[in-house]
């Protein structure tokens, strides 16, 4: 149980392109979804937290106009990197929780490796 | 002081031995604790959850929680080369709204 599907796995695109990443909880309702970014050999960095039907809460330093998050249903959240540039190249990982309080674990998708040329 | 602290390692353990991974946290009101394993280039996967003081065993893994001392540990018995990975400790703060991840301990099991 607790399967989270994330697509696409890899994206390579030109600078200036907008990229959408999908995160789906397949066998549970995800009250809360999280988006992380991870650079090589570094720790997870939380970008934003989203609850179904409400606006995402962004961490300090994360541009909400650049990283658009939509959590329209209890099983789907999307992250759109708008006008991506080489410095946005990273490993983006979503996770989902069946609770909006932290007493339930987060279950992670397989991640999306984004390369901007 | 970081909210969740782990030794970055690498921790090198011979195959078949017990690997001991430690984590301390700063929020005394924390209630929920998790261990994740992350292989290089992959996303984290949940290994154990623990919510009350004491030990919790699952196969070769044992999580230990001591709320008075504010530490949580993970023991891996009969370590295998496939256990080589980064292990992330995660803690829910007293506000219970967010899970805070440590920066992880890199474990290497040498044959």
């Amino acid at each position: 149980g607790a399967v989270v599907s994330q697509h696409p796995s890899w994206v390579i695109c030109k600078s200036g392109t907008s990229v959408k990443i999908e995160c789906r909880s397949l066998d549970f309702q995800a009250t809360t979804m999280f988006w992380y970014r991870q650079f090589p050999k570094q720790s997870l960095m939380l970008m934003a937290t989203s609850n179904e039907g409400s606006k995402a809460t962004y961490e300090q330093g994360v541009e909400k106009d650049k990283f658009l998050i939509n959590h329209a249903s209890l099983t789907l959240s999307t992250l759109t990197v708008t006008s991506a540039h080489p410095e946005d190249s990273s490993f983006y990982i979503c996770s989902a929780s069946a609770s909006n309080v932290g007493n339930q674990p987060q279950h992670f998708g397989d991640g999306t490796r984004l390369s901007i040329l | 002081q970081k909210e969740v602290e782990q030794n970055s390692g690498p921790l090198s353990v011979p195959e078949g031995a017990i690997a001991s991974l430690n984590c301390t946290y700063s929020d005394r009101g924390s209630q929920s604790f998790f261990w994740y394993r992350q292989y290089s280039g992959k996303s984290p996967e949940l290994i154990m959850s623990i919510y009350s003081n004491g030990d919790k065993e699952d196969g070769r893994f044992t999580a230990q929680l001591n709320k008075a001392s504010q530490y949580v540990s993970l023991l891996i018995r009969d370590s295998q080369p496939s256990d080589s990975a980064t292990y992330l400790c995660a803690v829910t703060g007293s506000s219970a709204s967010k899970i805070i991840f440590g920066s992880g301990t890199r474990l290497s099991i040498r044959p």
Side-chain angles (χ1 to χ4, degrees):
Chain A
V3 178
V4 176
S5 173
Q6 185 175 342
H7 291 282
S9 301
W10 286 83
V11 180
I12 302 174
C13 57
K14 293 180 180 179
S15 184
T17 305
S18 291
V19 178
K20 180 186 277 190
I21 303 170
E22 288 191 354
C23 181
R24 292 179 185 273
S25 56
L26 298 185
D27 53 359
F28 67 101
Q29 293 189 326
T31 306
T32 310
M33 285 186 166
F34 306 84
W35 288 96
Y36 293 85
R37 182 165 54 182
Q38 188 174 37
F39 293 103
K41 299 191 186 301
Q42 295 189 22
S43 56
L44 289 173
M45 188 179 76
L46 179 65
M47 299 175 67
T49 302
S50 73
N51 291 294
E52 182 264 338
S54 57
K55 288 184 180 180
T57 301
Y58 289 81
E59 296 298 302
Q60 192 172 9
V62 178
E63 299 175 59
K64 61 181 181 182
D65 294 330
K66 181 168 184 64
F67 299 99
L68 301 179
I69 292 172
N70 183 281
H71 191 164
S73 77
L74 281 171
T75 59
L76 173 65
S77 177
T78 61
L79 167 68
T80 301
V81 183
T82 60
S83 186
H85 292 285
E87 59 266 28
D88 298 321
S89 298
S90 188
F91 189 41
Y92 291 84
I93 315 172
C94 75
S95 71
S97 172
S99 171
N100 59 2
V101 294
N103 59 350
Q104 295 294 317
Q106 295 179 25
H107 302 280
F108 286 86
D110 288 339
T112 297
R113 201 160 299 281
L114 176 63
S115 295
I116 307 299
L117 305 176
Chain B
Q1 182 188 8
K2 290 183 181 178
E3 293 175 271
V4 179
E5 290 210 56
Q6 296 181 255
N7 189 318
S8 62
L11 175 65
S12 182
V13 173
E15 185 175 355
I18 296 175
S20 178
L21 302 158
N22 299 313
C23 171
T24 58
Y25 58 94
S26 60
D27 187 341
R28 186 169 285 280
S30 297
Q31 295 294 327
S32 305
F33 307 86
F34 311 96
W35 281 100
Y36 289 82
R37 176 176 63 198
Q38 185 176 23
Y39 291 113
S40 180
K42 303 293 185 181
S43 62
E45 57 180 316
L46 180 68
I47 300 175
M48 298 277 288
S49 305
I50 187 166
Y51 303 97
S52 54
N53 279 328
D55 295 1
K56 180 181 177 183
E57 187 175 318
D58 183 1
R60 293 188 298 113
F61 299 98
T62 299
Q64 299 175 318
L65 175 60
N66 184 323
K67 290 186 179 180
S69 300
Q70 295 175 238
Y71 83 77
V72 56
S73 61
L74 179 70
L75 301 179
I76 307 174
R77 288 182 300 282
D78 188 23
S79 297
Q80 303 296 310
S82 59
D83 294 327
S84 297
T86 296
Y87 289 80
L88 302 170
C89 170
V91 177
T92 302
S94 52
S95 67
S97 61
K98 196 159 62 173
I99 293 178
I100 309 297
F101 284 86
S103 56
T105 298
R106 194 154 50 95
L107 175 65
S108 176
I109 306 300
R110 56 182 191 272

